[in-house]
Every structure is written in structure tokens, then in C-alpha cells.
Amino acid sequence: MGMKILSGNSNRELAEAIATYLNIPTTNADVKRFSDEEIWVEIKENVRGEDVFIIQPTNFPANDNLMELLVMIDALRRASARRITAVVPYYGYARQDRKPGPRTPISAKLVANLITTAGADRVLTMDLHAGQIQGFFDIPTDNLFAQPVLTRDLKEKYAGKDKVMVVSPDVGGVVRARAYAKRIDAPIAIIDKRREKAGISEVMHIVGEVKDYHCVLVDDIVDSAGTLCNAAKALHEAGAASVSACVTHGVLSGPAIDRITNSVMDELIITDSIAPTDSVKGCDKVRVVSVAPLLAEAVSRIAHETSVSSLFD
């Protein structure tokens, strides 16, 4: 019995990097479309009795990438794979983790049901938007943290600079900010904002003294970048020496790149949990760090039945 890495179309570069780290080839498979956009999968290798890991974040186009994942799981199940692990570095629909009002869905739970029903035996993901999503699955689910990778990068970036401060862009991210601050030995500040409606945020005030500090905004997802850019502006106006941001999942939809380019932020650091688009690659203010080694280590530990949590000790 061996281990195999299978990639969908969502982030083949990440899958190849994970396979290279593990010194194994990616599994030969076709993941194509019929003329009416139906998804068609054919596994070109024998996977009977194998431990198979499907690398497939469910970012834009979320529905296509999710459906690819489900069809690949079904193909592997019918091909008698011993165990199927869905490696979903970015878990789409994670922001719909509760009912914000009457007659609304909990789509994060629905997606968990779909992955489980399709035949996955295990899920490996990263920086879930809400930790309770782990409990939406009735199969083992490991939620990795990009924090060690990103804090290592921050230590290198700010080596020799004393006045560094970690800033949470909202009250809900304080626990995350505190964890980052502990790793780089820095104080924290909080942006108190009021969101009038989805996609639009208004910065109210800053909790903490940020004057003359190199401020680092930390978050799990940057989508339209409105919140980050508003927070960066508020920090700049409050006298911050510099402002940058460190975010796990760079969704970066709509006007995000234009906003970041025209913002007072010096730099936005994201991971390759989502494959960077051409516009992201072409933006001088955005830098991508790879989480492939971290994911590869977790995959290896799952395959060899050893501790995943010790990666973060």
C-alpha cells in the first residue's frame, strides 16, 4: 500500500510542489469538461488499496472547483482506493458558517456534507474562517495553521526593527493577532470597525497606540480588500511608521488589486493556498509565500499515522 497525490485544476502548482517535497509524482489523471461544462474525470493509474490525497482548494470558480473535488472523490471510491483525503487548503463557503438571519443557509455545513457523502475519509484544510467548521464534518478533519510560515517570513522582514506591532483588522480576529504577536514578540492593537452591509466596512477607531510602529495587519481571508485598505489608512493617519498585511488566503476578487495598489500599504503577504492570478503576480505590493512544505509534512504524517498537531509545537 502506497501514497498518491492527485490534483484537480484549482491549484496544480501547489499540488506539484507538495509532490516534489514528498519525492513522489502526481497521479496521472484527466480532469476535463464536456462541451456543456459537465466535469469528467478519469484516473489513469491503478489506485486500488492506495492512500490518496486530492489537492483541490475550492476558490473561484468555487462551484466548479467544488464539483471537481466531489467527482474526483467518487472516481477514487469506485476505483477502490483504501483511503481518500480531501486536501482543501482554502475551504470555500467557509464564511457561511451560521444563520445571520431568517431563511438563510449554513452553506459551510452543506459543503461538509457533500464532501463526506461523496466518499472522503478525511479532510485536511488550512486556517478555516471559523474553527467550528471542523465540527461540521463527521469524518476526521485537520485544520492546519499558516501562522508558522508567515511569522517566519515576518521575523526575516522585520529583523533588527524594535517597534513592530501586530494589528487585528476587527474584534473577531484578536485571538489570531495575539497568536502572531506571541510568535514574533510584539504588542497588538485592534481596529474597531462597523460594517454597514456586506462588502463595505467603516473604520471607527484604533484600540492601542500605533504611532511610530511598523504595523502588520493579520487576517485569514482578504477578498475585496476594503477592510484591509481602510484599516491601513486609519493606521497611517494615526502615525504608524509603516503598514503591511499578512493574510493566509488571497481571494482578491473584484477591485482588490486596484485597492491594494492605490493603498498606503507597503506590502500584502499571502500564501499559495489559492493559486495567484496573473493580476496578483503582476502587483508589486503583493508577495506570495508557499505553504507547500507545511501541507506536505501534514500529508506525510497522515499517511504514516503520526502526529499532525506536533507540527505546531
Side-chain angles (χ1 to χ4, degrees):
M1 294 181 292
M3 172 174 56
K4 287 187 178 290
I5 301 293
L6 178 64
S7 176
N9 292 316
S10 177
N11 197 340
R12 286 192 176 276
E13 287 184 8
L14 179 61
E16 291 288 350
I18 291 170
T20 299
Y21 185 95
L22 295 171
N23 198 29
I24 59 174
T26 54
T27 300
N28 186 14
D30 285 336
V31 184
K32 297 181 178 179
R33 299 286 192 278
F34 286 118
S35 59
D36 64 351
E37 293 300 310
E38 275 189 17
I39 294 161
W40 175 76
V41 171
E42 183 180 7
I43 315 294
K44 300 276 192 173
E45 299 178 21
N46 179 31
V47 295
R48 185 179 297 274
E50 301 278 8
D51 196 1
V52 187
F53 295 81
I54 306 172
I55 316 298
Q56 180 77 347
T58 53
N59 51 282
F60 176 84
N63 300 332
D64 285 0
N65 288 329
L66 173 60
M67 197 64 197
E68 268 191 20
L69 174 62
L70 299 176
V71 175
M72 284 189 290
I73 291 171
D74 187 71
L76 290 169
R77 183 171 61 87
R78 296 177 189 280
S80 301
R82 176 172 62 89
R83 181 171 64 178
I84 304 164
T85 301
V87 182
V88 190
Y90 173 70
Y91 185 82
Y93 288 96
R95 285 172 283 183
Q96 298 183 51
D97 62 305
R98 64 196 182 281
K99 282 175 66 73
R103 296 170 297 283
T104 56
I106 305 178
S107 302
K109 170 60 175 168
L110 171 62
V111 171
N113 289 345
L114 289 169
I115 292 171
T116 304
T117 302
D121 298 296
R122 190 178 196 102
V123 171
L124 176 62
T125 186
M126 176 174 286
D127 279 348
L128 285 171
H129 185 63
Q132 67 265 23
I133 294 172
Q134 272 185 288
F136 291 178
F137 287 91
D138 294 324
I139 54 178
T141 303
D142 294 297
N143 181 28
L144 303 182
F145 303 104
Q147 188 186 105
V149 176
L150 293 172
T151 52
R152 191 182 310 123
D153 187 89
L154 290 175
K155 284 179 180 178
E156 293 173 2
K157 177 181 171 69
Y158 292 104
K161 294 182 179 178
D162 295 328
K163 302 193 76 173
V164 179
M165 181 174 285
V166 175
V167 183
S168 173
D170 53 37
V171 175
V174 172
V175 173
R176 182 184 302 106
R178 190 178 293 124
Y180 272 80
K182 183 178 180 181
R183 279 185 174 266
I184 65 172
D185 192 24
I188 71 168
I190 305 163
I191 303 289
D192 178 31
K193 75 172 191 294
R194 182 174 299 164
R195 190 184 295 275
E196 300 296 337
K197 58 182 178 179
I200 299 175
S201 65
E202 178 185 353
V203 172
M204 301 302 287
H205 64 272
I206 300 166
V207 181
E209 180 53 59
V210 301
K211 185 175 172 59
D212 298 328
Y213 274 89
H214 297 283
C215 293
V216 183
L217 288 153
V218 296
D219 213 342
D220 63 325
I221 298 173
V222 54
D223 189 352
S224 61
T227 295
L228 271 189
C229 292
N230 287 344
K233 181 181 178 183
L235 292 168
H236 181 73
E237 291 174 350
S242 68
V243 183
S244 56
C246 196
V247 182
T248 304
H249 307 298
V251 176
L252 298 173
S253 64
I257 293 299
D258 287 339
R259 285 175 174 171
I260 291 163
T261 301
N262 297 318
S263 75
V264 298
M265 272 193 294
D266 295 329
E267 185 178 47
L268 168 63
I269 305 163
I270 59 174
T271 77
D272 56 353
S273 64
I274 295 172
T277 61
D278 290 340
S279 61
V280 171
K281 291 176 181 176
C283 181
D284 293 336
K285 285 192 175 184
V286 179
R287 183 160 58 87
V288 182
V289 296
S290 182
V291 288
L294 177 63
L295 287 165
E297 279 291 340
V299 165
S300 177
R301 291 177 183 219
I302 290 170
H304 294 98
E305 304 291 351
T306 57
S307 172
V308 173
S309 61
S310 62
L311 276 170
F312 306 98
D313 290 343

